[in-house]
Amino acid sequence: MHANNQIHNALYLAFARQQWAELRKSVPLTLSESDLDDLRGINESISLDEVTDIYLPLSRLLNLIVGAKQQRGLVLNQFLGRVPPKRPYIISIAGSVAVGKSTTARILQALLRQWPEHPKVDLVTTDGFLYPLSELKRRGLLQRKGFPESYDMKLLVEFISKIKAGESLVHAPIYSHISYDRVADTQQAIEQPDILIIEGLNVLQTGQDTHVAIQQPFVSDFVDFSIYVDAEEPLLKEWYISRFLKFRTGAFSDPNSYFHHYSELNDDEATKIAANIWDSINGPNLNLNIQPTRDRAHLILRKGTDHMMHQVLMRK
Ligand SMILES: Nc1ncnc2c1ncn2[C@@H]1O[C@H](COP(=O)(O)OP(=O)(O)OP(=O)(O)O)[C@@H](O)[C@H]1O
Ligand SMILES: CC(C)(CO)[C@@H](O)C(=O)NCCC(=O)O
């Protein structure tokens, strides 16, 4: 599936699911029943096998990597003879619409919090940095949501640079999937976490990928470790459609929902509309702007049917 396998092999170590699962090594399955309940609350469809085989080794890897960075920070301070501000370790999670970025991010958050070295783990999504709906309309971008030009990149880069600089309180705008818009009067407060996870379609993008010149620097300049969640497009489209069908009885049934009128649709009608949104917006965005950023990631998690990860690729 990779256009240039030779380059890929040179860049990444590839692990089949079972090989990766063995790398959990000494990480005990420290999850209590209540932890498991929390994880099920994040996504009831996620299996315990997925947590033990994929996420526990990943949590171990990230704990080691964050630890190495913290050590390096101590050495630097000793050398410079000063106490620097606490700077969060920043992990980014990229991938298509509906690949499961937010589920992956929330499970990682829950697992990373359990390590005594980094108990405070915050999570933001770049959805909040989409322009407000009125601005998208003004710019004629309603059919381009999720494309690079639909984000306020200046605001996003300002946000992440403040986090990286160790500012004690930084605010992020919040997006509502119900109103399909930025929330007007509430913001998310980020107060010097040990780790910040930032999740979104665009976290690996630079100006070079797109027809739109995005000003430098890029989000990835501030990110310590990047993850790309990958799956073949037919699966992504299927997951997008099935989430859309589920939303009819969930989010869309809310009278405040932007898509409230979809709640009345039968399965066939809803499938057609979702497939059409995929083919006209999310699919082209994947192929033009998201997938081309995949091979910049430090780690690629490859999913197959039923959201099962079947391969992990790690930068050498
Ligand atoms: N590990 C998993 N097991 C089973 N279902 C999953 C898993 N991860 C995600 N899903 C399902 O796939 C769909 C997309 O997941 P999610 O909302 O996490 O994706 P996303 O990449 O954050 O999407 P978006 O970019 O649109 O916000 C949801 O219906 C979710 O329940
Ligand atoms: C908010 C984004 C861009 C990303 O999560 C996406 O969910 C979205 O709304 N895409 C636009 C097309 C659609 O409604 O799916």
mmCIF file with all atom_site columns, all heavy atoms in Angstrom, residues 97 101 127 130 142 144-147 150-151 175 177 180 199 201 240 243 259 277 281-282, ligand 2:
data_model
loop_
_atom_site.group_PDB
_atom_site.id
_atom_site.type_symbol
_atom_site.label_atom_id
_atom_site.label_alt_id
_atom_site.label_comp_id
_atom_site.label_asym_id
_atom_site.label_entity_id
_atom_site.label_seq_id
_atom_site.pdbx_PDB_ins_code
_atom_site.Cartn_x
_atom_site.Cartn_y
_atom_site.Cartn_z
_atom_site.occupancy
_atom_site.B_iso_or_equiv
_atom_site.pdbx_formal_charge
_atom_site.auth_seq_id
_atom_site.auth_comp_id
_atom_site.auth_asym_id
_atom_site.auth_atom_id
_atom_site.pdbx_PDB_model_num
ATOM   1   N N   . VAL A 1 97  ? -10.706 12.016 9.189  1.00 0.00 ? 97  VAL A N   1
ATOM   2   C CA  . VAL A 1 97  ? -12.007 12.071 9.860  1.00 0.00 ? 97  VAL A CA  1
ATOM   3   C C   . VAL A 1 97  ? -12.477 10.615 10.061 1.00 0.00 ? 97  VAL A C   1
ATOM   4   O O   . VAL A 1 97  ? -12.306 9.783  9.170  1.00 0.00 ? 97  VAL A O   1
ATOM   5   C CB  . VAL A 1 97  ? -13.042 12.830 8.977  1.00 0.00 ? 97  VAL A CB  1
ATOM   6   C CG1 . VAL A 1 97  ? -14.458 12.640 9.508  1.00 0.00 ? 97  VAL A CG1 1
ATOM   7   C CG2 . VAL A 1 97  ? -12.705 14.307 8.886  1.00 0.00 ? 97  VAL A CG2 1
ATOM   8   N N   . LYS A 1 101 ? -9.318  9.094  15.992 1.00 0.00 ? 101 LYS A N   1
ATOM   9   C CA  . LYS A 1 101 ? -8.293  9.898  16.667 1.00 0.00 ? 101 LYS A CA  1
ATOM   10  C C   . LYS A 1 101 ? -8.702  10.240 18.081 1.00 0.00 ? 101 LYS A C   1
ATOM   11  O O   . LYS A 1 101 ? -7.923  10.128 19.015 1.00 0.00 ? 101 LYS A O   1
ATOM   12  C CB  . LYS A 1 101 ? -8.037  11.232 15.930 1.00 0.00 ? 101 LYS A CB  1
ATOM   13  C CG  . LYS A 1 101 ? -7.492  11.087 14.541 1.00 0.00 ? 101 LYS A CG  1
ATOM   14  C CD  . LYS A 1 101 ? -7.321  12.439 13.874 1.00 0.00 ? 101 LYS A CD  1
ATOM   15  C CE  . LYS A 1 101 ? -8.606  13.217 13.735 1.00 0.00 ? 101 LYS A CE  1
ATOM   16  N NZ  . LYS A 1 101 ? -9.649  12.555 12.958 1.00 0.00 ? 101 LYS A NZ  1
ATOM   17  N N   . ASP A 1 127 ? -10.230 20.771 16.393 1.00 0.00 ? 127 ASP A N   1
ATOM   18  C CA  . ASP A 1 127 ? -11.570 21.167 15.916 1.00 0.00 ? 127 ASP A CA  1
ATOM   19  C C   . ASP A 1 127 ? -11.934 22.569 16.421 1.00 0.00 ? 127 ASP A C   1
ATOM   20  O O   . ASP A 1 127 ? -12.586 23.341 15.715 1.00 0.00 ? 127 ASP A O   1
ATOM   21  C CB  . ASP A 1 127 ? -12.650 20.194 16.416 1.00 0.00 ? 127 ASP A CB  1
ATOM   22  C CG  . ASP A 1 127 ? -12.571 18.833 15.742 1.00 0.00 ? 127 ASP A CG  1
ATOM   23  O OD1 . ASP A 1 127 ? -11.760 18.674 14.805 1.00 0.00 ? 127 ASP A OD1 1
ATOM   24  O OD2 . ASP A 1 127 ? -13.307 17.921 16.166 1.00 0.00 ? 127 ASP A OD2 1
ATOM   25  N N   . LEU A 1 130 ? -11.117 25.487 14.159 1.00 0.00 ? 130 LEU A N   1
ATOM   26  C CA  . LEU A 1 130 ? -11.840 25.780 12.906 1.00 0.00 ? 130 LEU A CA  1
ATOM   27  C C   . LEU A 1 130 ? -12.388 27.192 13.049 1.00 0.00 ? 130 LEU A C   1
ATOM   28  O O   . LEU A 1 130 ? -12.788 27.606 14.147 1.00 0.00 ? 130 LEU A O   1
ATOM   29  C CB  . LEU A 1 130 ? -13.022 24.819 12.749 1.00 0.00 ? 130 LEU A CB  1
ATOM   30  C CG  . LEU A 1 130 ? -12.699 23.395 12.289 1.00 0.00 ? 130 LEU A CG  1
ATOM   31  C CD1 . LEU A 1 130 ? -13.852 22.462 12.626 1.00 0.00 ? 130 LEU A CD1 1
ATOM   32  C CD2 . LEU A 1 130 ? -12.414 23.358 10.793 1.00 0.00 ? 130 LEU A CD2 1
ATOM   33  N N   . LEU A 1 142 ? -17.877 26.593 3.656  1.00 0.00 ? 142 LEU A N   1
ATOM   34  C CA  . LEU A 1 142 ? -18.764 25.653 4.342  1.00 0.00 ? 142 LEU A CA  1
ATOM   35  C C   . LEU A 1 142 ? -18.587 24.222 3.839  1.00 0.00 ? 142 LEU A C   1
ATOM   36  O O   . LEU A 1 142 ? -18.740 23.266 4.588  1.00 0.00 ? 142 LEU A O   1
ATOM   37  C CB  . LEU A 1 142 ? -20.223 26.105 4.158  1.00 0.00 ? 142 LEU A CB  1
ATOM   38  C CG  . LEU A 1 142 ? -21.135 25.844 5.335  1.00 0.00 ? 142 LEU A CG  1
ATOM   39  C CD1 . LEU A 1 142 ? -20.508 26.259 6.647  1.00 0.00 ? 142 LEU A CD1 1
ATOM   40  C CD2 . LEU A 1 142 ? -22.458 26.573 5.124  1.00 0.00 ? 142 LEU A CD2 1
ATOM   41  N N   . ARG A 1 144 ? -15.789 23.071 2.856  1.00 0.00 ? 144 ARG A N   1
ATOM   42  C CA  . ARG A 1 144 ? -14.345 22.769 2.965  1.00 0.00 ? 144 ARG A CA  1
ATOM   43  C C   . ARG A 1 144 ? -13.939 22.593 4.432  1.00 0.00 ? 144 ARG A C   1
ATOM   44  O O   . ARG A 1 144 ? -12.763 22.743 4.771  1.00 0.00 ? 144 ARG A O   1
ATOM   45  C CB  . ARG A 1 144 ? -13.514 23.911 2.368  1.00 0.00 ? 144 ARG A CB  1
ATOM   46  C CG  . ARG A 1 144 ? -13.912 24.306 0.962  1.00 0.00 ? 144 ARG A CG  1
ATOM   47  C CD  . ARG A 1 144 ? -13.384 23.375 -0.071 1.00 0.00 ? 144 ARG A CD  1
ATOM   48  N NE  . ARG A 1 144 ? -11.952 23.556 -0.294 1.00 0.00 ? 144 ARG A NE  1
ATOM   49  C CZ  . ARG A 1 144 ? -11.245 22.845 -1.154 1.00 0.00 ? 144 ARG A CZ  1
ATOM   50  N NH1 . ARG A 1 144 ? -11.831 21.905 -1.865 1.00 0.00 ? 144 ARG A NH1 1
ATOM   51  N NH2 . ARG A 1 144 ? -9.961  23.064 -1.320 1.00 0.00 ? 144 ARG A NH2 1
ATOM   52  N N   . LYS A 1 145 ? -14.910 22.251 5.281  1.00 0.00 ? 145 LYS A N   1
ATOM   53  C CA  . LYS A 1 145 ? -14.562 22.083 6.700  1.00 0.00 ? 145 LYS A CA  1
ATOM   54  C C   . LYS A 1 145 ? -13.565 20.947 6.870  1.00 0.00 ? 145 LYS A C   1
ATOM   55  O O   . LYS A 1 145 ? -13.772 19.866 6.342  1.00 0.00 ? 145 LYS A O   1
ATOM   56  C CB  . LYS A 1 145 ? -15.808 21.775 7.523  1.00 0.00 ? 145 LYS A CB  1
ATOM   57  C CG  . LYS A 1 145 ? -16.401 23.007 8.143  1.00 0.00 ? 145 LYS A CG  1
ATOM   58  C CD  . LYS A 1 145 ? -17.589 22.656 8.972  1.00 0.00 ? 145 LYS A CD  1
ATOM   59  C CE  . LYS A 1 145 ? -17.233 22.526 10.422 1.00 0.00 ? 145 LYS A CE  1
ATOM   60  N NZ  . LYS A 1 145 ? -18.430 22.317 11.244 1.00 0.00 ? 145 LYS A NZ  1
ATOM   61  N N   . GLY A 1 146 ? -12.503 21.248 7.606  1.00 0.00 ? 146 GLY A N   1
ATOM   62  C CA  . GLY A 1 146 ? -11.459 20.252 7.807  1.00 0.00 ? 146 GLY A CA  1
ATOM   63  C C   . GLY A 1 146 ? -10.289 20.458 6.847  1.00 0.00 ? 146 GLY A C   1
ATOM   64  O O   . GLY A 1 146 ? -9.196  19.957 7.086  1.00 0.00 ? 146 GLY A O   1
ATOM   65  N N   . PHE A 1 147 ? -10.514 21.213 5.751  1.00 0.00 ? 147 PHE A N   1
ATOM   66  C CA  . PHE A 1 147 ? -9.414  21.534 4.841  1.00 0.00 ? 147 PHE A CA  1
ATOM   67  C C   . PHE A 1 147 ? -8.507  22.566 5.532  1.00 0.00 ? 147 PHE A C   1
ATOM   68  O O   . PHE A 1 147 ? -8.968  23.313 6.405  1.00 0.00 ? 147 PHE A O   1
ATOM   69  C CB  . PHE A 1 147 ? -9.949  22.103 3.520  1.00 0.00 ? 147 PHE A CB  1
ATOM   70  C CG  . PHE A 1 147 ? -10.435 21.049 2.555  1.00 0.00 ? 147 PHE A CG  1
ATOM   71  C CD1 . PHE A 1 147 ? -11.530 20.253 2.864  1.00 0.00 ? 147 PHE A CD1 1
ATOM   72  C CD2 . PHE A 1 147 ? -9.803  20.858 1.337  1.00 0.00 ? 147 PHE A CD2 1
ATOM   73  C CE1 . PHE A 1 147 ? -11.971 19.271 1.977  1.00 0.00 ? 147 PHE A CE1 1
ATOM   74  C CE2 . PHE A 1 147 ? -10.239 19.884 0.447  1.00 0.00 ? 147 PHE A CE2 1
ATOM   75  C CZ  . PHE A 1 147 ? -11.320 19.090 0.766  1.00 0.00 ? 147 PHE A CZ  1
ATOM   76  N N   . SER A 1 150 ? -9.688  26.015 6.403  1.00 0.00 ? 150 SER A N   1
ATOM   77  C CA  . SER A 1 150 ? -10.831 26.207 7.302  1.00 0.00 ? 150 SER A CA  1
ATOM   78  C C   . SER A 1 150 ? -10.396 26.402 8.764  1.00 0.00 ? 150 SER A C   1
ATOM   79  O O   . SER A 1 150 ? -11.222 26.640 9.632  1.00 0.00 ? 150 SER A O   1
ATOM   80  C CB  . SER A 1 150 ? -11.800 25.022 7.189  1.00 0.00 ? 150 SER A CB  1
ATOM   81  O OG  . SER A 1 150 ? -11.192 23.833 7.641  1.00 0.00 ? 150 SER A OG  1
ATOM   82  N N   . TYR A 1 151 ? -9.092  26.285 9.011  1.00 0.00 ? 151 TYR A N   1
ATOM   83  C CA  . TYR A 1 151 ? -8.588  26.460 10.379 1.00 0.00 ? 151 TYR A CA  1
ATOM   84  C C   . TYR A 1 151 ? -7.922  27.812 10.550 1.00 0.00 ? 151 TYR A C   1
ATOM   85  O O   . TYR A 1 151 ? -7.247  28.288 9.641  1.00 0.00 ? 151 TYR A O   1
ATOM   86  C CB  . TYR A 1 151 ? -7.544  25.385 10.712 1.00 0.00 ? 151 TYR A CB  1
ATOM   87  C CG  . TYR A 1 151 ? -8.139  24.006 10.836 1.00 0.00 ? 151 TYR A CG  1
ATOM   88  C CD1 . TYR A 1 151 ? -8.193  23.152 9.739  1.00 0.00 ? 151 TYR A CD1 1
ATOM   89  C CD2 . TYR A 1 151 ? -8.657  23.558 12.044 1.00 0.00 ? 151 TYR A CD2 1
ATOM   90  C CE1 . TYR A 1 151 ? -8.752  21.886 9.845  1.00 0.00 ? 151 TYR A CE1 1
ATOM   91  C CE2 . TYR A 1 151 ? -9.213  22.297 12.159 1.00 0.00 ? 151 TYR A CE2 1
ATOM   92  C CZ  . TYR A 1 151 ? -9.260  21.468 11.062 1.00 0.00 ? 151 TYR A CZ  1
ATOM   93  O OH  . TYR A 1 151 ? -9.818  20.227 11.166 1.00 0.00 ? 151 TYR A OH  1
ATOM   94  N N   . TYR A 1 175 ? -14.960 23.305 20.200 1.00 0.00 ? 175 TYR A N   1
ATOM   95  C CA  . TYR A 1 175 ? -15.859 23.061 19.072 1.00 0.00 ? 175 TYR A CA  1
ATOM   96  C C   . TYR A 1 175 ? -17.009 22.175 19.537 1.00 0.00 ? 175 TYR A C   1
ATOM   97  O O   . TYR A 1 175 ? -16.816 21.265 20.325 1.00 0.00 ? 175 TYR A O   1
ATOM   98  C CB  . TYR A 1 175 ? -15.083 22.349 17.962 1.00 0.00 ? 175 TYR A CB  1
ATOM   99  C CG  . TYR A 1 175 ? -15.904 22.000 16.740 1.00 0.00 ? 175 TYR A CG  1
ATOM   100 C CD1 . TYR A 1 175 ? -16.243 22.985 15.813 1.00 0.00 ? 175 TYR A CD1 1
ATOM   101 C CD2 . TYR A 1 175 ? -16.321 20.688 16.509 1.00 0.00 ? 175 TYR A CD2 1
ATOM   102 C CE1 . TYR A 1 175 ? -16.987 22.665 14.688 1.00 0.00 ? 175 TYR A CE1 1
ATOM   103 C CE2 . TYR A 1 175 ? -17.064 20.363 15.380 1.00 0.00 ? 175 TYR A CE2 1
ATOM   104 C CZ  . TYR A 1 175 ? -17.397 21.356 14.474 1.00 0.00 ? 175 TYR A CZ  1
ATOM   105 O OH  . TYR A 1 175 ? -18.133 21.043 13.363 1.00 0.00 ? 175 TYR A OH  1
ATOM   106 N N   . HIS A 1 177 ? -19.791 19.514 18.147 1.00 0.00 ? 177 HIS A N   1
ATOM   107 C CA  . HIS A 1 177 ? -20.277 18.726 17.009 1.00 0.00 ? 177 HIS A CA  1
ATOM   108 C C   . HIS A 1 177 ? -21.797 18.859 16.891 1.00 0.00 ? 177 HIS A C   1
ATOM   109 O O   . HIS A 1 177 ? -22.364 18.546 15.858 1.00 0.00 ? 177 HIS A O   1
ATOM   110 C CB  . HIS A 1 177 ? -19.873 17.253 17.139 1.00 0.00 ? 177 HIS A CB  1
ATOM   111 C CG  . HIS A 1 177 ? -18.445 17.004 16.764 1.00 0.00 ? 177 HIS A CG  1
ATOM   112 N ND1 . HIS A 1 177 ? -18.036 16.869 15.459 1.00 0.00 ? 177 HIS A ND1 1
ATOM   113 C CD2 . HIS A 1 177 ? -17.323 16.909 17.513 1.00 0.00 ? 177 HIS A CD2 1
ATOM   114 C CE1 . HIS A 1 177 ? -16.719 16.675 15.422 1.00 0.00 ? 177 HIS A CE1 1
ATOM   115 N NE2 . HIS A 1 177 ? -16.271 16.705 16.667 1.00 0.00 ? 177 HIS A NE2 1
ATOM   116 N N   . TYR A 1 180 ? -22.175 22.368 15.365 1.00 0.00 ? 180 TYR A N   1
ATOM   117 C CA  . TYR A 1 180 ? -21.333 22.373 14.176 1.00 0.00 ? 180 TYR A CA  1
ATOM   118 C C   . TYR A 1 180 ? -20.526 23.665 14.128 1.00 0.00 ? 180 TYR A C   1
ATOM   119 O O   . TYR A 1 180 ? -20.149 24.131 13.082 1.00 0.00 ? 180 TYR A O   1
ATOM   120 C CB  . TYR A 1 180 ? -22.226 22.242 12.930 1.00 0.00 ? 180 TYR A CB  1
ATOM   121 C CG  . TYR A 1 180 ? -21.585 21.612 11.697 1.00 0.00 ? 180 TYR A CG  1
ATOM   122 C CD1 . TYR A 1 180 ? -21.022 20.336 11.722 1.00 0.00 ? 180 TYR A CD1 1
ATOM   123 C CD2 . TYR A 1 180 ? -21.577 22.279 10.474 1.00 0.00 ? 180 TYR A CD2 1
ATOM   124 C CE1 . TYR A 1 180 ? -20.478 19.749 10.583 1.00 0.00 ? 180 TYR A CE1 1
ATOM   125 C CE2 . TYR A 1 180 ? -21.038 21.700 9.320  1.00 0.00 ? 180 TYR A CE2 1
ATOM   126 C CZ  . TYR A 1 180 ? -20.484 20.434 9.398  1.00 0.00 ? 180 TYR A CZ  1
ATOM   127 O OH  . TYR A 1 180 ? -19.948 19.855 8.261  1.00 0.00 ? 180 TYR A OH  1
ATOM   128 N N   . GLU A 1 199 ? -4.963  16.570 19.217 1.00 0.00 ? 199 GLU A N   1
ATOM   129 C CA  . GLU A 1 199 ? -5.520  15.618 18.249 1.00 0.00 ? 199 GLU A CA  1
ATOM   130 C C   . GLU A 1 199 ? -6.222  16.388 17.148 1.00 0.00 ? 199 GLU A C   1
ATOM   131 O O   . GLU A 1 199 ? -6.938  17.346 17.423 1.00 0.00 ? 199 GLU A O   1
ATOM   132 C CB  . GLU A 1 199 ? -6.475  14.728 19.056 1.00 0.00 ? 199 GLU A CB  1
ATOM   133 C CG  . GLU A 1 199 ? -7.426  13.858 18.330 1.00 0.00 ? 199 GLU A CG  1
ATOM   134 C CD  . GLU A 1 199 ? -8.797  14.462 18.130 1.00 0.00 ? 199 GLU A CD  1
ATOM   135 O OE1 . GLU A 1 199 ? -9.497  14.795 19.110 1.00 0.00 ? 199 GLU A OE1 1
ATOM   136 O OE2 . GLU A 1 199 ? -9.179  14.614 16.946 1.00 0.00 ? 199 GLU A OE2 1
ATOM   137 N N   . LEU A 1 201 ? -6.969  16.507 12.418 1.00 0.00 ? 201 LEU A N   1
ATOM   138 C CA  . LEU A 1 201 ? -6.605  16.136 11.049 1.00 0.00 ? 201 LEU A CA  1
ATOM   139 C C   . LEU A 1 201 ? -5.289  16.747 10.619 1.00 0.00 ? 201 LEU A C   1
ATOM   140 O O   . LEU A 1 201 ? -4.585  16.201 9.779  1.00 0.00 ? 201 LEU A O   1
ATOM   141 C CB  . LEU A 1 201 ? -7.628  16.741 10.067 1.00 0.00 ? 201 LEU A CB  1
ATOM   142 C CG  . LEU A 1 201 ? -9.105  16.589 10.333 1.00 0.00 ? 201 LEU A CG  1
ATOM   143 C CD1 . LEU A 1 201 ? -9.875  17.438 9.335  1.00 0.00 ? 201 LEU A CD1 1
ATOM   144 C CD2 . LEU A 1 201 ? -9.448  15.131 10.212 1.00 0.00 ? 201 LEU A CD2 1
ATOM   145 N N   . TYR A 1 240 ? -17.306 6.300  8.905  1.00 0.00 ? 240 TYR A N   1
ATOM   146 C CA  . TYR A 1 240 ? -17.952 7.617  8.874  1.00 0.00 ? 240 TYR A CA  1
ATOM   147 C C   . TYR A 1 240 ? -19.471 7.448  8.745  1.00 0.00 ? 240 TYR A C   1
ATOM   148 O O   . TYR A 1 240 ? -20.247 8.070  9.469  1.00 0.00 ? 240 TYR A O   1
ATOM   149 C CB  . TYR A 1 240 ? -17.407 8.463  7.715  1.00 0.00 ? 240 TYR A CB  1
ATOM   150 C CG  . TYR A 1 240 ? -18.063 9.820  7.648  1.00 0.00 ? 240 TYR A CG  1
ATOM   151 C CD1 . TYR A 1 240 ? -17.702 10.826 8.547  1.00 0.00 ? 240 TYR A CD1 1
ATOM   152 C CD2 . TYR A 1 240 ? -19.078 10.082 6.730  1.00 0.00 ? 240 TYR A CD2 1
ATOM   153 C CE1 . TYR A 1 240 ? -18.325 12.062 8.523  1.00 0.00 ? 240 TYR A CE1 1
ATOM   154 C CE2 . TYR A 1 240 ? -19.700 11.323 6.702  1.00 0.00 ? 240 TYR A CE2 1
ATOM   155 C CZ  . TYR A 1 240 ? -19.319 12.303 7.604  1.00 0.00 ? 240 TYR A CZ  1
ATOM   156 O OH  . TYR A 1 240 ? -19.944 13.524 7.595  1.00 0.00 ? 240 TYR A OH  1
ATOM   157 N N   . ARG A 1 243 ? -21.051 5.995  11.932 1.00 0.00 ? 243 ARG A N   1
ATOM   158 C CA  . ARG A 1 243 ? -21.166 7.010  12.990 1.00 0.00 ? 243 ARG A CA  1
ATOM   159 C C   . ARG A 1 243 ? -22.312 7.979  12.676 1.00 0.00 ? 243 ARG A C   1
ATOM   160 O O   . ARG A 1 243 ? -23.076 8.369  13.556 1.00 0.00 ? 243 ARG A O   1
ATOM   161 C CB  . ARG A 1 243 ? -19.849 7.776  13.157 1.00 0.00 ? 243 ARG A CB  1
ATOM   162 C CG  . ARG A 1 243 ? -19.878 8.737  14.332 1.00 0.00 ? 243 ARG A CG  1
ATOM   163 C CD  . ARG A 1 243 ? -18.569 9.428  14.577 1.00 0.00 ? 243 ARG A CD  1
ATOM   164 N NE  . ARG A 1 243 ? -18.115 10.169 13.406 1.00 0.00 ? 243 ARG A NE  1
ATOM   165 C CZ  . ARG A 1 243 ? -17.004 10.891 13.375 1.00 0.00 ? 243 ARG A CZ  1
ATOM   166 N NH1 . ARG A 1 243 ? -16.232 10.954 14.434 1.00 0.00 ? 243 ARG A NH1 1
ATOM   167 N NH2 . ARG A 1 243 ? -16.661 11.538 12.283 1.00 0.00 ? 243 ARG A NH2 1
ATOM   168 N N   . PHE A 1 259 ? -27.623 19.511 12.490 1.00 0.00 ? 259 PHE A N   1
ATOM   169 C CA  . PHE A 1 259 ? -28.117 18.467 11.592 1.00 0.00 ? 259 PHE A CA  1
ATOM   170 C C   . PHE A 1 259 ? -29.414 17.844 12.085 1.00 0.00 ? 259 PHE A C   1
ATOM   171 O O   . PHE A 1 259 ? -29.713 16.696 11.757 1.00 0.00 ? 259 PHE A O   1
ATOM   172 C CB  . PHE A 1 259 ? -27.053 17.368 11.440 1.00 0.00 ? 259 PHE A CB  1
ATOM   173 C CG  . PHE A 1 259 ? -25.871 17.804 10.637 1.00 0.00 ? 259 PHE A CG  1
ATOM   174 C CD1 . PHE A 1 259 ? -24.576 17.625 11.118 1.00 0.00 ? 259 PHE A CD1 1
ATOM   175 C CD2 . PHE A 1 259 ? -26.040 18.395 9.390  1.00 0.00 ? 259 PHE A CD2 1
ATOM   176 C CE1 . PHE A 1 259 ? -23.480 18.021 10.375 1.00 0.00 ? 259 PHE A CE1 1
ATOM   177 C CE2 . PHE A 1 259 ? -24.941 18.797 8.637  1.00 0.00 ? 259 PHE A CE2 1
ATOM   178 C CZ  . PHE A 1 259 ? -23.673 18.612 9.131  1.00 0.00 ? 259 PHE A CZ  1
ATOM   179 N N   . ILE A 1 277 ? -21.370 13.211 1.695  1.00 0.00 ? 277 ILE A N   1
ATOM   180 C CA  . ILE A 1 277 ? -20.479 14.127 2.441  1.00 0.00 ? 277 ILE A CA  1
ATOM   181 C C   . ILE A 1 277 ? -19.050 13.573 2.405  1.00 0.00 ? 277 ILE A C   1
ATOM   182 O O   . ILE A 1 277 ? -18.081 14.305 2.232  1.00 0.00 ? 277 ILE A O   1
ATOM   183 C CB  . ILE A 1 277 ? -20.940 14.325 3.905  1.00 0.00 ? 277 ILE A CB  1
ATOM   184 C CG1 . ILE A 1 277 ? -22.347 14.931 3.965  1.00 0.00 ? 277 ILE A CG1 1
ATOM   185 C CG2 . ILE A 1 277 ? -19.946 15.201 4.676  1.00 0.00 ? 277 ILE A CG2 1
ATOM   186 C CD1 . ILE A 1 277 ? -22.920 15.048 5.375  1.00 0.00 ? 277 ILE A CD1 1
ATOM   187 N N   . ILE A 1 281 ? -16.358 15.899 0.672  1.00 0.00 ? 281 ILE A N   1
ATOM   188 C CA  . ILE A 1 281 ? -15.524 16.683 1.603  1.00 0.00 ? 281 ILE A CA  1
ATOM   189 C C   . ILE A 1 281 ? -14.424 15.834 2.268  1.00 0.00 ? 281 ILE A C   1
ATOM   190 O O   . ILE A 1 281 ? -13.239 16.053 2.019  1.00 0.00 ? 281 ILE A O   1
ATOM   191 C CB  . ILE A 1 281 ? -16.385 17.356 2.710  1.00 0.00 ? 281 ILE A CB  1
ATOM   192 C CG1 . ILE A 1 281 ? -17.537 18.166 2.091  1.00 0.00 ? 281 ILE A CG1 1
ATOM   193 C CG2 . ILE A 1 281 ? -15.505 18.256 3.595  1.00 0.00 ? 281 ILE A CG2 1
ATOM   194 C CD1 . ILE A 1 281 ? -18.467 18.822 3.097  1.00 0.00 ? 281 ILE A CD1 1
ATOM   195 N N   . ASN A 1 282 ? -14.819 14.876 3.088  1.00 0.00 ? 282 ASN A N   1
ATOM   196 C CA  . ASN A 1 282 ? -13.824 14.201 3.924  1.00 0.00 ? 282 ASN A CA  1
ATOM   197 C C   . ASN A 1 282 ? -12.865 13.302 3.138  1.00 0.00 ? 282 ASN A C   1
ATOM   198 O O   . ASN A 1 282 ? -11.683 13.195 3.489  1.00 0.00 ? 282 ASN A O   1
ATOM   199 C CB  . ASN A 1 282 ? -14.525 13.408 5.034  1.00 0.00 ? 282 ASN A CB  1
ATOM   200 C CG  . ASN A 1 282 ? -15.299 14.331 5.968  1.00 0.00 ? 282 ASN A CG  1
ATOM   201 O OD1 . ASN A 1 282 ? -14.838 15.421 6.304  1.00 0.00 ? 282 ASN A OD1 1
ATOM   202 N ND2 . ASN A 1 282 ? -16.498 13.922 6.385  1.00 0.00 ? 282 ASN A ND2 1
HETATM 203 C C1  . LIG B 2 .   ? -14.935 18.865 12.329 1.00 0.00 ? 2   LIG B C1  1
HETATM 204 C C2  . LIG B 2 .   ? -14.238 18.033 11.288 1.00 0.00 ? 2   LIG B C2  1
HETATM 205 C C3  . LIG B 2 .   ? -13.621 18.919 10.213 1.00 0.00 ? 2   LIG B C3  1
HETATM 206 C C4  . LIG B 2 .   ? -13.052 17.289 11.920 1.00 0.00 ? 2   LIG B C4  1
HETATM 207 O O1  . LIG B 2 .   ? -13.374 16.552 12.997 1.00 0.00 ? 2   LIG B O1  1
HETATM 208 C C5  . LIG B 2 .   ? -15.181 17.010 10.647 1.00 0.00 ? 2   LIG B C5  1
HETATM 209 O O2  . LIG B 2 .   ? -15.800 16.242 11.597 1.00 0.00 ? 2   LIG B O2  1
HETATM 210 C C6  . LIG B 2 .   ? -16.227 17.695 9.756  1.00 0.00 ? 2   LIG B C6  1
HETATM 211 O O3  . LIG B 2 .   ? -17.141 18.300 10.221 1.00 0.00 ? 2   LIG B O3  1
HETATM 212 N N1  . LIG B 2 .   ? -16.053 17.579 8.437  1.00 0.00 ? 2   LIG B N1  1
HETATM 213 C C7  . LIG B 2 .   ? -16.901 18.265 7.481  1.00 0.00 ? 2   LIG B C7  1
HETATM 214 C C8  . LIG B 2 .   ? -17.853 17.358 6.792  1.00 0.00 ? 2   LIG B C8  1
HETATM 215 C C9  . LIG B 2 .   ? -18.731 16.619 7.765  1.00 0.00 ? 2   LIG B C9  1
HETATM 216 O O4  . LIG B 2 .   ? -19.767 17.143 8.171  1.00 0.00 ? 2   LIG B O4  1
HETATM 217 O O5  . LIG B 2 .   ? -18.340 15.500 8.124  1.00 0.00 ? 2   LIG B O5  1
#
